[in-house]
Amino acid sequence: MMKILTSICLATMISLGLMIVCTIISKTTIMDREKMSPFECGFDPKSSARAPFSLQFFLIAILFLIFDIEIAIILPMIITLKCSNIVSWATTMTIFILILIIGLYFEWKNGMLEWTF
């Protein structure tokens, strides 16, 4: 119990120390119009630096992350196949993949996967 309390106190003190050092070291900048504007070799910018972000690109990126995490979850499940009950393992895998397929179907039917400008 004493080791846990010591570890917690040490982690808290290190965190607080780092926050204090970062606050002392960091300098505040004065925000004015010249510093906030984008720099293009001394010339005025030709277009706005704050270009609109494509929402479709964001949705495709989120979809990629979901399926990427799915692979990270499925791979360990394949390894546990040897030491688990085959019925519970198959049920878990079927439900997991079914939820992903239903989500993909929902996105497809709502037109979230179509790349339009």
Side-chain angles (χ1 to χ4, degrees):
M1 183 69 179
M2 192 62 175
K3 288 182 181 182
I4 295 173
L5 289 175
T6 306
S7 298
I8 291 173
C9 289
L10 185 64
T12 304
M13 289 182 2
I14 290 173
S15 299
L16 287 174
L18 286 174
M19 285 191 283
I20 290 170
V21 168
C22 287
T23 303
I24 292 170
I25 292 176
S26 69
K27 59 181 180 177
T28 58
T29 59
I30 299 170
M31 298 295 183
D32 62 351
R33 183 173 175 264
E34 292 297 321
K35 288 185 180 179
M36 294 293 288
S37 66
F39 180 72
E40 288 187 11
C41 301
F43 300 104
D44 289 332
K46 292 185 178 183
S47 62
S48 174
R50 311 247 189 269
F53 186 73
S54 173
L55 187 61
Q56 291 298 116
F57 176 75
F58 177 73
L59 290 174
I60 296 294
I62 293 296
L63 187 67
F64 170 76
L65 284 175
I66 289 170
F67 281 102
D68 193 39
I69 291 171
E70 169 213 353
I71 295 299
I73 292 173
I74 286 179
L75 285 176
M77 290 182 82
I78 294 170
I79 296 171
T80 61
L81 175 63
K82 289 187 265 182
C83 61
S84 64
N85 184 4
I86 190 70
V87 174
S88 65
W89 185 88
T91 305
T92 305
M93 283 295 286
T94 304
I95 291 172
F96 182 72
I97 292 175
L98 189 65
I99 289 171
L100 288 172
I101 290 172
I102 289 171
L104 183 63
Y105 179 75
F106 176 75
E107 289 176 355
W108 184 23
K109 282 299 182 186
N110 285 333
M112 293 181 195
L113 299 178
E114 293 182 20
W115 194 271
T116 57
F117 291 102

